[in-house]
Amino acid sequence: MSQADPSAEIQALSDLYVFTTLSCYTALLIYDTLLTLPSEIKHIWCKTVKIGTILYLFSRYLLMAFYVLAIYDSFSNLKCNTITHLGRALQVPYVIGVQGLLLARTYAISLQNQKVLGVLGLLILSPTIIIVYLSVLDHCNLTSSQFNTLTLSVLTSVIGF
């Protein structure tokens, strides 16, 4: 009787965890989008386009596109295909949108305090740099699981920020 390779089992569990987490995030995001769509149409789509509108749209829809592409990519046996590159390229504007909204909201709540803006700006800069680095990283040399784990941990920390 042959024994199963433990590293293959660990890899399979890691892939399952990443797939399950991305699927849950996607389902919640779609559910939230459907719940808030009437308000969004009224307050975002029917108004003049401003920088806040663009940041909102980046943070809202690029994340959904990234998750859908990441789920598709997890089914693909191809390494470094076009979908992989497109999904990873979407991370940068998404993070800029989310971090920009966070910075603008905190700046407004702090009554436009320059010190708060400076400190938060520096704190926001580090996860943004990490995301940009991960998106341009030579990810073709990483296994899909390694890259997905790195990406998932950074996205979770950004969302939790």
Side-chain angles (χ1 to χ4, degrees), residues 5-80:
D5 181 18
S7 64
E9 289 179 19
I10 291 171
Q11 180 69 38
L13 286 173
S14 175
D15 290 344
L16 179 63
Y17 171 76
V18 169
F19 174 76
T20 304
T21 304
L22 286 172
S23 298
C24 290
Y25 280 168
T26 304
L28 285 172
L29 189 59
I30 291 170
Y31 177 71
D32 179 63
T33 301
L34 291 174
L35 284 179
T36 59
L37 191 58
S39 295
E40 181 179 316
I41 290 170
K42 179 180 176 185
H43 297 291
I44 300 294
W45 294 102
C46 295
K47 301 288 181 179
T48 306
V49 176
K50 297 179 183 175
I51 189 70
T53 307
I54 294 169
L55 292 175
Y56 172 81
L57 294 174
F58 274 7
S59 67
R60 182 75 163 184
Y61 293 102
L62 289 180
L63 178 64
M64 192 179 311
F66 169 75
Y67 284 159
V68 169
L69 290 173
I71 290 170
Y72 172 80
D73 195 40
S74 70
F75 282 114
S76 172
N77 290 329
L78 301 174
K79 189 173 182 182
C80 291

Side-chain angles (χ1 to χ4, degrees), residues 4-5 48 50 60 77 84 94 106 109 133 147 151 154:
D5 181 18
T48 306
K50 297 179 183 175
R60 182 75 163 184
N77 290 329
T84 304
Y94 161 72
T106 306
I109 290 170
Y133 173 73
F147 188 86
T151 303
V154 172

Side-chain angles (χ1 to χ4, degrees), residues 137-155:
L137 180 70
D138 183 16
H139 50 270
C140 294
N141 293 328
L142 296 175
T143 67
S144 177
S145 177
Q146 288 172 327
F147 188 86
N148 285 341
T149 303
L150 273 172
T151 303
L152 189 60
S153 64
V154 172
L155 281 174

